Amino acid sequence: MDERDGDDVKLLGVFSTRERAEAGRERARVLPGFRDEPECFVVDGYELDVGTWGEGFVRVPPGE
């Protein structure tokens, strides 16, 4: 599964430039957990100053 499809996607960080993002990715690739999947990172644009939880959320109890 591709990381863009949501396969255990985690935000590594938000960087001010693509170069800094790529450097952060290179540092992370050697860390425990990441070094087994060094190609799991996606460098992509991220819009700043935008809320992402504007409508709240609904909790579904286990078993429902």
Side-chain angles (χ1 to χ4, degrees):
M1 178 176 266
D2 188 294
E3 297 303 317
R4 290 179 189 268
D5 293 332
D7 178 28
D8 199 24
V9 173
K10 293 178 180 61
L11 180 64
L12 179 63
V14 178
F15 300 90
S16 58
T17 66
R18 176 167 287 281
E19 291 78 19
R20 288 183 179 189
E22 290 171 355
R25 175 179 59 190
E26 292 307 309
R27 286 190 300 272
R29 282 182 166 163
V30 299
L31 297 175
F34 294 133
R35 69 176 140 233
D36 295 334
E37 296 184 62
E39 299 304 316
C40 72
F41 298 98
V42 174
V43 173
D44 205 352
Y46 197 86
E47 191 171 350
L48 300 178
D49 299 325
V50 174
T52 57
W53 288 84
E55 296 182 23
F57 66 94
V58 175
R59 184 175 180 279
V60 178
E64 286 190 27

